Amino acid sequence: MPPKKPGTLLPIEKDIIKALRRKSLHGNELAQSLRTYARSTVYRALSRLEQEGYVSGAWQMQLGDATPRRMYTLTSVGEAVEG
């Protein structure tokens, strides 16, 4: 995929931002809520959004689960996105 112009978001990126406006989610929850996209596509978009400063990800442990999960939240840049 060719690089996008600065400030231009892809439809999946807009959908991720919209979902994260409601609450912070881990990648798997986000992929499940965006079923129209392949899981790998959601994770690639999350990575791009994190690199560009729209979202922030942090590893967290869940109670009763030994597997850490990466929780994503919107940054102030992500919150400023129209939509």
Side-chain angles (χ1 to χ4, degrees), residues 40-79:
S40 60
T41 304
V42 172
Y43 279 102
R44 280 194 306 271
L46 272 171
S47 178
R48 280 192 306 271
L49 288 170
E50 189 171 14
Q51 288 174 354
E52 294 173 6
Y54 291 96
V55 302
S56 174
W59 290 102
Q60 292 183 354
M61 295 295 293
Q62 300 285 339
L63 256 154
D65 189 355
T67 307
R69 296 171 188 230
R70 193 151 178 86
M71 295 294 290
Y72 293 93
T73 57
L74 286 180
T75 63
S76 57
V77 174
E79 290 174 2

PDB file of all heavy atoms in Angstrom, residues 40-79:
ATOM      1  N   SER A  40      -5.693  -9.328  11.052  1.00  0.00           N
ATOM      2  CA  SER A  40      -4.354  -8.824  10.733  1.00  0.00           C
ATOM      3  C   SER A  40      -4.409  -7.374  10.237  1.00  0.00           C
ATOM      4  O   SER A  40      -3.513  -6.576  10.521  1.00  0.00           O
ATOM      5  CB  SER A  40      -3.674  -9.715   9.702  1.00  0.00           C
ATOM      6  OG  SER A  40      -4.424  -9.757   8.505  1.00  0.00           O
ATOM      7  N   THR A  41      -5.462  -7.027   9.528  1.00  0.00           N
ATOM      8  CA  THR A  41      -5.631  -5.663   9.026  1.00  0.00           C
ATOM      9  C   THR A  41      -5.842  -4.699  10.186  1.00  0.00           C
ATOM     10  O   THR A  41      -5.302  -3.596  10.196  1.00  0.00           O
ATOM     11  CB  THR A  41      -6.823  -5.599   8.044  1.00  0.00           C
ATOM     12  OG1 THR A  41      -6.597  -6.540   7.008  1.00  0.00           O
ATOM     13  CG2 THR A  41      -6.989  -4.211   7.458  1.00  0.00           C
ATOM     14  N   VAL A  42      -6.625  -5.121  11.186  1.00  0.00           N
ATOM     15  CA  VAL A  42      -6.864  -4.286  12.368  1.00  0.00           C
ATOM     16  C   VAL A  42      -5.550  -4.041  13.102  1.00  0.00           C
ATOM     17  O   VAL A  42      -5.231  -2.905  13.473  1.00  0.00           O
ATOM     18  CB  VAL A  42      -7.909  -4.937  13.302  1.00  0.00           C
ATOM     19  CG1 VAL A  42      -8.016  -4.175  14.618  1.00  0.00           C
ATOM     20  CG2 VAL A  42      -9.267  -5.006  12.617  1.00  0.00           C
ATOM     21  N   TYR A  43      -4.761  -5.086  13.295  1.00  0.00           N
ATOM     22  CA  TYR A  43      -3.491  -4.934  14.011  1.00  0.00           C
ATOM     23  C   TYR A  43      -2.508  -4.053  13.242  1.00  0.00           C
ATOM     24  O   TYR A  43      -1.786  -3.255  13.855  1.00  0.00           O
ATOM     25  CB  TYR A  43      -2.882  -6.297  14.337  1.00  0.00           C
ATOM     26  CG  TYR A  43      -3.503  -6.924  15.561  1.00  0.00           C
ATOM     27  CD1 TYR A  43      -4.442  -7.939  15.443  1.00  0.00           C
ATOM     28  CD2 TYR A  43      -3.164  -6.490  16.834  1.00  0.00           C
ATOM     29  CE1 TYR A  43      -5.020  -8.514  16.564  1.00  0.00           C
ATOM     30  CE2 TYR A  43      -3.731  -7.051  17.970  1.00  0.00           C
ATOM     31  CZ  TYR A  43      -4.656  -8.066  17.823  1.00  0.00           C
ATOM     32  OH  TYR A  43      -5.225  -8.621  18.947  1.00  0.00           O
ATOM     33  N   ARG A  44      -2.463  -4.163  11.929  1.00  0.00           N
ATOM     34  CA  ARG A  44      -1.580  -3.296  11.137  1.00  0.00           C
ATOM     35  C   ARG A  44      -2.024  -1.831  11.259  1.00  0.00           C
ATOM     36  O   ARG A  44      -1.191  -0.935  11.393  1.00  0.00           O
ATOM     37  CB  ARG A  44      -1.558  -3.728   9.672  1.00  0.00           C
ATOM     38  CG  ARG A  44      -0.653  -4.917   9.419  1.00  0.00           C
ATOM     39  CD  ARG A  44      -0.367  -5.121   7.938  1.00  0.00           C
ATOM     40  NE  ARG A  44      -1.549  -5.220   7.110  1.00  0.00           N
ATOM     41  CZ  ARG A  44      -2.197  -6.343   6.841  1.00  0.00           C
ATOM     42  NH1 ARG A  44      -1.778  -7.480   7.338  1.00  0.00           N
ATOM     43  NH2 ARG A  44      -3.268  -6.336   6.074  1.00  0.00           N
ATOM     44  N   ALA A  45      -3.328  -1.603  11.208  1.00  0.00           N
ATOM     45  CA  ALA A  45      -3.842  -0.238  11.333  1.00  0.00           C
ATOM     46  C   ALA A  45      -3.557   0.317  12.722  1.00  0.00           C
ATOM     47  O   ALA A  45      -3.190   1.489  12.867  1.00  0.00           O
ATOM     48  CB  ALA A  45      -5.343  -0.208  11.036  1.00  0.00           C
ATOM     49  N   LEU A  46      -3.706  -0.513  13.757  1.00  0.00           N
ATOM     50  CA  LEU A  46      -3.381  -0.076  15.120  1.00  0.00           C
ATOM     51  C   LEU A  46      -1.917   0.326  15.224  1.00  0.00           C
ATOM     52  O   LEU A  46      -1.581   1.339  15.851  1.00  0.00           O
ATOM     53  CB  LEU A  46      -3.662  -1.200  16.125  1.00  0.00           C
ATOM     54  CG  LEU A  46      -5.060  -1.285  16.689  1.00  0.00           C
ATOM     55  CD1 LEU A  46      -5.228  -2.570  17.480  1.00  0.00           C
ATOM     56  CD2 LEU A  46      -5.374  -0.078  17.545  1.00  0.00           C
ATOM     57  N   SER A  47      -1.061  -0.451  14.614  1.00  0.00           N
ATOM     58  CA  SER A  47       0.370  -0.151  14.638  1.00  0.00           C
ATOM     59  C   SER A  47       0.655   1.195  13.967  1.00  0.00           C
ATOM     60  O   SER A  47       1.409   2.017  14.499  1.00  0.00           O
ATOM     61  CB  SER A  47       1.136  -1.272  13.939  1.00  0.00           C
ATOM     62  OG  SER A  47       2.505  -0.995  13.912  1.00  0.00           O
ATOM     63  N   ARG A  48       0.032   1.426  12.816  1.00  0.00           N
ATOM     64  CA  ARG A  48       0.200   2.715  12.122  1.00  0.00           C
ATOM     65  C   ARG A  48      -0.306   3.867  12.979  1.00  0.00           C
ATOM     66  O   ARG A  48       0.359   4.901  13.101  1.00  0.00           O
ATOM     67  CB  ARG A  48      -0.550   2.719  10.785  1.00  0.00           C
ATOM     68  CG  ARG A  48       0.161   2.017   9.663  1.00  0.00           C
ATOM     69  CD  ARG A  48      -0.496   2.315   8.320  1.00  0.00           C
ATOM     70  NE  ARG A  48      -1.922   2.031   8.275  1.00  0.00           N
ATOM     71  CZ  ARG A  48      -2.461   0.869   7.937  1.00  0.00           C
ATOM     72  NH1 ARG A  48      -1.682  -0.142   7.611  1.00  0.00           N
ATOM     73  NH2 ARG A  48      -3.760   0.711   7.910  1.00  0.00           N
ATOM     74  N   LEU A  49      -1.497   3.694  13.564  1.00  0.00           N
ATOM     75  CA  LEU A  49      -2.073   4.749  14.389  1.00  0.00           C
ATOM     76  C   LEU A  49      -1.201   5.053  15.602  1.00  0.00           C
ATOM     77  O   LEU A  49      -1.072   6.206  16.021  1.00  0.00           O
ATOM     78  CB  LEU A  49      -3.489   4.365  14.836  1.00  0.00           C
ATOM     79  CG  LEU A  49      -4.549   4.410  13.748  1.00  0.00           C
ATOM     80  CD1 LEU A  49      -5.847   3.786  14.238  1.00  0.00           C
ATOM     81  CD2 LEU A  49      -4.783   5.838  13.271  1.00  0.00           C
ATOM     82  N   GLU A  50      -0.592   4.012  16.163  1.00  0.00           N
ATOM     83  CA  GLU A  50       0.290   4.223  17.313  1.00  0.00           C
ATOM     84  C   GLU A  50       1.565   4.955  16.869  1.00  0.00           C
ATOM     85  O   GLU A  50       2.010   5.894  17.534  1.00  0.00           O
ATOM     86  CB  GLU A  50       0.629   2.888  17.964  1.00  0.00           C
ATOM     87  CG  GLU A  50       1.345   3.038  19.285  1.00  0.00           C
ATOM     88  CD  GLU A  50       1.482   1.744  20.041  1.00  0.00           C
ATOM     89  OE1 GLU A  50       1.263   0.653  19.481  1.00  0.00           O
ATOM     90  OE2 GLU A  50       1.825   1.827  21.234  1.00  0.00           O
ATOM     91  N   GLN A  51       2.137   4.569  15.753  1.00  0.00           N
ATOM     92  CA  GLN A  51       3.346   5.228  15.247  1.00  0.00           C
ATOM     93  C   GLN A  51       3.084   6.689  14.907  1.00  0.00           C
ATOM     94  O   GLN A  51       3.966   7.531  15.078  1.00  0.00           O
ATOM     95  CB  GLN A  51       3.865   4.506  14.004  1.00  0.00           C
ATOM     96  CG  GLN A  51       4.488   3.175  14.293  1.00  0.00           C
ATOM     97  CD  GLN A  51       4.869   2.426  13.017  1.00  0.00           C
ATOM     98  OE1 GLN A  51       4.571   2.863  11.911  1.00  0.00           O
ATOM     99  NE2 GLN A  51       5.521   1.293  13.183  1.00  0.00           N
ATOM    100  N   GLU A  52       1.882   6.991  14.451  1.00  0.00           N
ATOM    101  CA  GLU A  52       1.545   8.360  14.060  1.00  0.00           C
ATOM    102  C   GLU A  52       0.991   9.188  15.223  1.00  0.00           C
ATOM    103  O   GLU A  52       0.657  10.357  15.046  1.00  0.00           O
ATOM    104  CB  GLU A  52       0.558   8.333  12.895  1.00  0.00           C
ATOM    105  CG  GLU A  52       1.180   7.743  11.630  1.00  0.00           C
ATOM    106  CD  GLU A  52       0.192   7.530  10.498  1.00  0.00           C
ATOM    107  OE1 GLU A  52      -0.984   7.951  10.628  1.00  0.00           O
ATOM    108  OE2 GLU A  52       0.586   6.921   9.493  1.00  0.00           O
ATOM    109  N   GLY A  53       0.878   8.579  16.409  1.00  0.00           N
ATOM    110  CA  GLY A  53       0.486   9.321  17.598  1.00  0.00           C
ATOM    111  C   GLY A  53      -1.005   9.460  17.846  1.00  0.00           C
ATOM    112  O   GLY A  53      -1.411  10.217  18.719  1.00  0.00           O
ATOM    113  N   TYR A  54      -1.840   8.729  17.107  1.00  0.00           N
ATOM    114  CA  TYR A  54      -3.287   8.805  17.307  1.00  0.00           C
ATOM    115  C   TYR A  54      -3.743   7.958  18.498  1.00  0.00           C
ATOM    116  O   TYR A  54      -4.726   8.281  19.148  1.00  0.00           O
ATOM    117  CB  TYR A  54      -4.046   8.333  16.065  1.00  0.00           C
ATOM    118  CG  TYR A  54      -3.921   9.259  14.885  1.00  0.00           C
ATOM    119  CD1 TYR A  54      -2.973   9.023  13.892  1.00  0.00           C
ATOM    120  CD2 TYR A  54      -4.750  10.372  14.754  1.00  0.00           C
ATOM    121  CE1 TYR A  54      -2.857   9.863  12.796  1.00  0.00           C
ATOM    122  CE2 TYR A  54      -4.640  11.221  13.667  1.00  0.00           C
ATOM    123  CZ  TYR A  54      -3.687  10.960  12.699  1.00  0.00           C
ATOM    124  OH  TYR A  54      -3.576  11.801  11.614  1.00  0.00           O
ATOM    125  N   VAL A  55      -3.064   6.838  18.725  1.00  0.00           N
ATOM    126  CA  VAL A  55      -3.403   5.947  19.841  1.00  0.00           C
ATOM    127  C   VAL A  55      -2.146   5.626  20.639  1.00  0.00           C
ATOM    128  O   VAL A  55      -1.021   5.749  20.140  1.00  0.00           O
ATOM    129  CB  VAL A  55      -4.083   4.627  19.385  1.00  0.00           C
ATOM    130  CG1 VAL A  55      -5.341   4.904  18.593  1.00  0.00           C
ATOM    131  CG2 VAL A  55      -3.131   3.753  18.602  1.00  0.00           C
ATOM    132  N   SER A  56      -2.368   5.205  21.860  1.00  0.00           N
ATOM    133  CA  SER A  56      -1.284   4.773  22.731  1.00  0.00           C
ATOM    134  C   SER A  56      -1.596   3.360  23.191  1.00  0.00           C
ATOM    135  O   SER A  56      -2.744   3.051  23.532  1.00  0.00           O
ATOM    136  CB  SER A  56      -1.219   5.725  23.930  1.00  0.00           C
ATOM    137  OG  SER A  56      -0.279   5.258  24.872  1.00  0.00           O
ATOM    138  N   GLY A  57      -0.598   2.508  23.197  1.00  0.00           N
ATOM    139  CA  GLY A  57      -0.784   1.127  23.634  1.00  0.00           C
ATOM    140  C   GLY A  57       0.104   0.832  24.826  1.00  0.00           C
ATOM    141  O   GLY A  57       1.234   1.304  24.908  1.00  0.00           O
ATOM    142  N   ALA A  58      -0.430   0.064  25.774  1.00  0.00           N
ATOM    143  CA  ALA A  58       0.333  -0.323  26.966  1.00  0.00           C
ATOM    144  C   ALA A  58      -0.040  -1.751  27.342  1.00  0.00           C
ATOM    145  O   ALA A  58      -1.214  -2.138  27.271  1.00  0.00           O
ATOM    146  CB  ALA A  58       0.025   0.624  28.122  1.00  0.00           C
ATOM    147  N   TRP A  59       0.966  -2.530  27.731  1.00  0.00           N
ATOM    148  CA  TRP A  59       0.724  -3.913  28.135  1.00  0.00           C
ATOM    149  C   TRP A  59       0.098  -3.929  29.520  1.00  0.00           C
ATOM    150  O   TRP A  59       0.547  -3.222  30.422  1.00  0.00           O
ATOM    151  CB  TRP A  59       2.030  -4.710  28.135  1.00  0.00           C
ATOM    152  CG  TRP A  59       2.544  -4.950  26.763  1.00  0.00           C
ATOM    153  CD1 TRP A  59       3.558  -4.284  26.143  1.00  0.00           C
ATOM    154  CD2 TRP A  59       2.052  -5.895  25.817  1.00  0.00           C
ATOM    155  NE1 TRP A  59       3.734  -4.764  24.870  1.00  0.00           N
ATOM    156  CE2 TRP A  59       2.820  -5.764  24.642  1.00  0.00           C
ATOM    157  CE3 TRP A  59       1.045  -6.852  25.850  1.00  0.00           C
ATOM    158  CZ2 TRP A  59       2.611  -6.541  23.512  1.00  0.00           C
ATOM    159  CZ3 TRP A  59       0.840  -7.632  24.724  1.00  0.00           C
ATOM    160  CH2 TRP A  59       1.611  -7.476  23.573  1.00  0.00           C
ATOM    161  N   GLN A  60      -0.963  -4.730  29.679  1.00  0.00           N
ATOM    162  CA  GLN A  60      -1.646  -4.870  30.970  1.00  0.00           C
ATOM    163  C   GLN A  60      -1.954  -6.326  31.229  1.00  0.00           C
ATOM    164  O   GLN A  60      -2.240  -7.090  30.306  1.00  0.00           O
ATOM    165  CB  GLN A  60      -2.952  -4.073  30.988  1.00  0.00           C
ATOM    166  CG  GLN A  60      -2.757  -2.588  30.955  1.00  0.00           C
ATOM    167  CD  GLN A  60      -4.078  -1.848  31.059  1.00  0.00           C
ATOM    168  OE1 GLN A  60      -5.149  -2.443  31.058  1.00  0.00           O
ATOM    169  NE2 GLN A  60      -4.008  -0.546  31.145  1.00  0.00           N
ATOM    170  N   MET A  61      -1.921  -6.689  32.500  1.00  0.00           N
ATOM    171  CA  MET A  61      -2.321  -8.031  32.918  1.00  0.00           C
ATOM    172  C   MET A  61      -3.800  -7.995  33.282  1.00  0.00           C
ATOM    173  O   MET A  61      -4.267  -7.043  33.898  1.00  0.00           O
ATOM    174  CB  MET A  61      -1.506  -8.483  34.136  1.00  0.00           C
ATOM    175  CG  MET A  61      -0.023  -8.644  33.856  1.00  0.00           C
ATOM    176  SD  MET A  61       0.372  -9.941  32.684  1.00  0.00           S
ATOM    177  CE  MET A  61      -0.105 -11.390  33.585  1.00  0.00           C
ATOM    178  N   GLN A  62      -4.520  -9.023  32.901  1.00  0.00           N
ATOM    179  CA  GLN A  62      -5.935  -9.156  33.247  1.00  0.00           C
ATOM    180  C   GLN A  62      -6.045 -10.038  34.484  1.00  0.00           C
ATOM    181  O   GLN A  62      -5.292 -11.003  34.623  1.00  0.00           O
ATOM    182  CB  GLN A  62      -6.713  -9.789  32.092  1.00  0.00           C
ATOM    183  CG  GLN A  62      -6.672  -9.009  30.803  1.00  0.00           C
ATOM    184  CD  GLN A  62      -7.540  -7.781  30.838  1.00  0.00           C
ATOM    185  OE1 GLN A  62      -8.456  -7.669  31.631  1.00  0.00           O
ATOM    186  NE2 GLN A  62      -7.243  -6.830  29.979  1.00  0.00           N
ATOM    187  N   LEU A  63      -6.949  -9.740  35.367  1.00  0.00           N
ATOM    188  CA  LEU A  63      -7.169 -10.573  36.546  1.00  0.00           C
ATOM    189  C   LEU A  63      -7.521 -11.991  36.136  1.00  0.00           C
ATOM    190  O   LEU A  63      -8.377 -12.204  35.282  1.00  0.00           O
ATOM    191  CB  LEU A  63      -8.327 -10.005  37.376  1.00  0.00           C
ATOM    192  CG  LEU A  63      -7.875  -9.274  38.634  1.00  0.00           C
ATOM    193  CD1 LEU A  63      -8.886  -8.246  39.033  1.00  0.00           C
ATOM    194  CD2 LEU A  63      -7.585 -10.253  39.729  1.00  0.00           C
ATOM    195  N   GLY A  64      -6.844 -12.966  36.700  1.00  0.00           N
ATOM    196  CA  GLY A  64      -7.132 -14.363  36.412  1.00  0.00           C
ATOM    197  C   GLY A  64      -6.584 -14.862  35.093  1.00  0.00           C
ATOM    198  O   GLY A  64      -6.856 -15.978  34.685  1.00  0.00           O
ATOM    199  N   ASP A  65      -5.816 -14.043  34.398  1.00  0.00           N
ATOM    200  CA  ASP A  65      -5.254 -14.436  33.105  1.00  0.00           C
ATOM    201  C   ASP A  65      -3.765 -14.120  33.113  1.00  0.00           C
ATOM    202  O   ASP A  65      -3.373 -12.983  33.373  1.00  0.00           O
ATOM    203  CB  ASP A  65      -5.955 -13.670  31.980  1.00  0.00           C
ATOM    204  CG  ASP A  65      -5.599 -14.168  30.594  1.00  0.00           C
ATOM    205  OD1 ASP A  65      -4.737 -15.054  30.466  1.00  0.00           O
ATOM    206  OD2 ASP A  65      -6.187 -13.659  29.636  1.00  0.00           O
ATOM    207  N   ALA A  66      -2.951 -15.106  32.828  1.00  0.00           N
ATOM    208  CA  ALA A  66      -1.492 -14.922  32.863  1.00  0.00           C
ATOM    209  C   ALA A  66      -0.947 -14.261  31.600  1.00  0.00           C
ATOM    210  O   ALA A  66       0.225 -13.913  31.537  1.00  0.00           O
ATOM    211  CB  ALA A  66      -0.810 -16.271  33.071  1.00  0.00           C
ATOM    212  N   THR A  67      -1.789 -14.070  30.598  1.00  0.00           N
ATOM    213  CA  THR A  67      -1.337 -13.498  29.334  1.00  0.00           C
ATOM    214  C   THR A  67      -1.533 -11.980  29.334  1.00  0.00           C
ATOM    215  O   THR A  67      -2.661 -11.507  29.469  1.00  0.00           O
ATOM    216  CB  THR A  67      -2.137 -14.100  28.159  1.00  0.00           C
ATOM    217  OG1 THR A  67      -2.057 -15.517  28.234  1.00  0.00           O
ATOM    218  CG2 THR A  67      -1.599 -13.626  26.832  1.00  0.00           C
ATOM    219  N   PRO A  68      -0.447 -11.224  29.173  1.00  0.00           N
ATOM    220  CA  PRO A  68      -0.617  -9.766  29.093  1.00  0.00           C
ATOM    221  C   PRO A  68      -1.290  -9.384  27.774  1.00  0.00           C
ATOM    222  O   PRO A  68      -1.131 -10.069  26.764  1.00  0.00           O
ATOM    223  CB  PRO A  68       0.812  -9.227  29.158  1.00  0.00           C
ATOM    224  CG  PRO A  68       1.671 -10.355  28.739  1.00  0.00           C
ATOM    225  CD  PRO A  68       0.941 -11.625  29.071  1.00  0.00           C
ATOM    226  N   ARG A  69      -2.051  -8.313  27.810  1.00  0.00           N
ATOM    227  CA  ARG A  69      -2.739  -7.815  26.610  1.00  0.00           C
ATOM    228  C   ARG A  69      -2.387  -6.356  26.411  1.00  0.00           C
ATOM    229  O   ARG A  69      -2.228  -5.612  27.365  1.00  0.00           O
ATOM    230  CB  ARG A  69      -4.254  -7.959  26.770  1.00  0.00           C
ATOM    231  CG  ARG A  69      -4.670  -9.402  26.884  1.00  0.00           C
ATOM    232  CD  ARG A  69      -6.121  -9.501  27.249  1.00  0.00           C
ATOM    233  NE  ARG A  69      -6.435 -10.883  27.543  1.00  0.00           N
ATOM    234  CZ  ARG A  69      -7.447 -11.530  27.030  1.00  0.00           C
ATOM    235  NH1 ARG A  69      -8.255 -10.912  26.200  1.00  0.00           N
ATOM    236  NH2 ARG A  69      -7.662 -12.775  27.334  1.00  0.00           N
ATOM    237  N   ARG A  70      -2.292  -5.982  25.174  1.00  0.00           N
ATOM    238  CA  ARG A  70      -1.981  -4.587  24.863  1.00  0.00           C
ATOM    239  C   ARG A  70      -3.290  -3.806  24.774  1.00  0.00           C
ATOM    240  O   ARG A  70      -4.129  -4.061  23.909  1.00  0.00           O
ATOM    241  CB  ARG A  70      -1.217  -4.507  23.547  1.00  0.00           C
ATOM    242  CG  ARG A  70      -0.602  -3.161  23.300  1.00  0.00           C
ATOM    243  CD  ARG A  70       0.648  -3.323  22.448  1.00  0.00           C
ATOM    244  NE  ARG A  70       1.261  -2.058  22.137  1.00  0.00           N
ATOM    245  CZ  ARG A  70       2.123  -1.446  22.931  1.00  0.00           C
ATOM    246  NH1 ARG A  70       2.466  -1.990  24.072  1.00  0.00           N
ATOM    247  NH2 ARG A  70       2.647  -0.281  22.578  1.00  0.00           N
ATOM    248  N   MET A  71      -3.446  -2.856  25.698  1.00  0.00           N
ATOM    249  CA  MET A  71      -4.642  -2.021  25.737  1.00  0.00           C
ATOM    250  C   MET A  71      -4.364  -0.722  24.977  1.00  0.00           C
ATOM    251  O   MET A  71      -3.307  -0.117  25.134  1.00  0.00           O
ATOM    252  CB  MET A  71      -5.017  -1.683  27.180  1.00  0.00           C
ATOM    253  CG  MET A  71      -5.419  -2.887  28.005  1.00  0.00           C
ATOM    254  SD  MET A  71      -6.935  -3.673  27.448  1.00  0.00           S
ATOM    255  CE  MET A  71      -8.139  -2.451  27.908  1.00  0.00           C
ATOM    256  N   TYR A  72      -5.322  -0.338  24.156  1.00  0.00           N
ATOM    257  CA  TYR A  72      -5.174   0.859  23.334  1.00  0.00           C
ATOM    258  C   TYR A  72      -6.139   1.943  23.797  1.00  0.00           C
ATOM    259  O   TYR A  72      -7.307   1.674  24.078  1.00  0.00           O
ATOM    260  CB  TYR A  72      -5.438   0.528  21.865  1.00  0.00           C
ATOM    261  CG  TYR A  72      -4.386  -0.375  21.283  1.00  0.00           C
ATOM    262  CD1 TYR A  72      -4.542  -1.756  21.287  1.00  0.00           C
ATOM    263  CD2 TYR A  72      -3.207   0.147  20.752  1.00  0.00           C
ATOM    264  CE1 TYR A  72      -3.567  -2.590  20.772  1.00  0.00           C
ATOM    265  CE2 TYR A  72      -2.224  -0.680  20.233  1.00  0.00           C
ATOM    266  CZ  TYR A  72      -2.411  -2.044  20.252  1.00  0.00           C
ATOM    267  OH  TYR A  72      -1.444  -2.866  19.747  1.00  0.00           O
ATOM    268  N   THR A  73      -5.627   3.167  23.853  1.00  0.00           N
ATOM    269  CA  THR A  73      -6.433   4.338  24.188  1.00  0.00           C
ATOM    270  C   THR A  73      -6.123   5.443  23.197  1.00  0.00           C
ATOM    271  O   THR A  73      -5.043   5.454  22.585  1.00  0.00           O
ATOM    272  CB  THR A  73      -6.143   4.850  25.612  1.00  0.00           C
ATOM    273  OG1 THR A  73      -4.752   5.137  25.709  1.00  0.00           O
ATOM    274  CG2 THR A  73      -6.517   3.840  26.661  1.00  0.00           C
ATOM    275  N   LEU A  74      -7.037   6.357  23.036  1.00  0.00           N
ATOM    276  CA  LEU A  74      -6.796   7.503  22.156  1.00  0.00           C
ATOM    277  C   LEU A  74      -5.877   8.509  22.842  1.00  0.00           C
ATOM    278  O   LEU A  74      -5.972   8.730  24.049  1.00  0.00           O
ATOM    279  CB  LEU A  74      -8.107   8.210  21.822  1.00  0.00           C
ATOM    280  CG  LEU A  74      -9.040   7.535  20.838  1.00  0.00           C
ATOM    281  CD1 LEU A  74     -10.282   8.392  20.625  1.00  0.00           C
ATOM    282  CD2 LEU A  74      -8.355   7.262  19.517  1.00  0.00           C
ATOM    283  N   THR A  75      -5.016   9.120  22.068  1.00  0.00           N
ATOM    284  CA  THR A  75      -4.218  10.232  22.552  1.00  0.00           C
ATOM    285  C   THR A  75      -5.008  11.515  22.275  1.00  0.00           C
ATOM    286  O   THR A  75      -6.079  11.471  21.638  1.00  0.00           O
ATOM    287  CB  THR A  75      -2.873  10.298  21.805  1.00  0.00           C
ATOM    288  OG1 THR A  75      -3.142  10.551  20.428  1.00  0.00           O
ATOM    289  CG2 THR A  75      -2.076   9.015  21.979  1.00  0.00           C
ATOM    290  N   SER A  76      -4.475  12.643  22.670  1.00  0.00           N
ATOM    291  CA  SER A  76      -5.150  13.915  22.376  1.00  0.00           C
ATOM    292  C   SER A  76      -5.241  14.132  20.860  1.00  0.00           C
ATOM    293  O   SER A  76      -6.212  14.720  20.366  1.00  0.00           O
ATOM    294  CB  SER A  76      -4.440  15.079  23.049  1.00  0.00           C
ATOM    295  OG  SER A  76      -3.089  15.136  22.647  1.00  0.00           O
ATOM    296  N   VAL A  77      -4.248  13.644  20.116  1.00  0.00           N
ATOM    297  CA  VAL A  77      -4.282  13.747  18.646  1.00  0.00           C
ATOM    298  C   VAL A  77      -5.467  12.926  18.099  1.00  0.00           C
ATOM    299  O   VAL A  77      -6.209  13.396  17.244  1.00  0.00           O
ATOM    300  CB  VAL A  77      -2.944  13.274  18.023  1.00  0.00           C
ATOM    301  CG1 VAL A  77      -3.035  13.248  16.505  1.00  0.00           C
ATOM    302  CG2 VAL A  77      -1.796  14.143  18.493  1.00  0.00           C
ATOM    303  N   GLY A  78      -5.626  11.717  18.607  1.00  0.00           N
ATOM    304  CA  GLY A  78      -6.729  10.854  18.171  1.00  0.00           C
ATOM    305  C   GLY A  78      -8.085  11.420  18.552  1.00  0.00           C
ATOM    306  O   GLY A  78      -9.049  11.319  17.784  1.00  0.00           O
ATOM    307  N   GLU A  79      -8.160  12.017  19.740  1.00  0.00           N
ATOM    308  CA  GLU A  79      -9.433  12.598  20.194  1.00  0.00           C
ATOM    309  C   GLU A  79      -9.832  13.797  19.343  1.00  0.00           C
ATOM    310  O   GLU A  79     -11.015  14.098  19.210  1.00  0.00           O
ATOM    311  CB  GLU A  79      -9.336  13.002  21.655  1.00  0.00           C
ATOM    312  CG  GLU A  79      -9.267  11.809  22.590  1.00  0.00           C
ATOM    313  CD  GLU A  79      -9.027  12.196  24.033  1.00  0.00           C
ATOM    314  OE1 GLU A  79      -8.947  13.409  24.341  1.00  0.00           O
ATOM    315  OE2 GLU A  79      -8.910  11.285  24.861  1.00  0.00           O
TER     316      GLU A  79
END
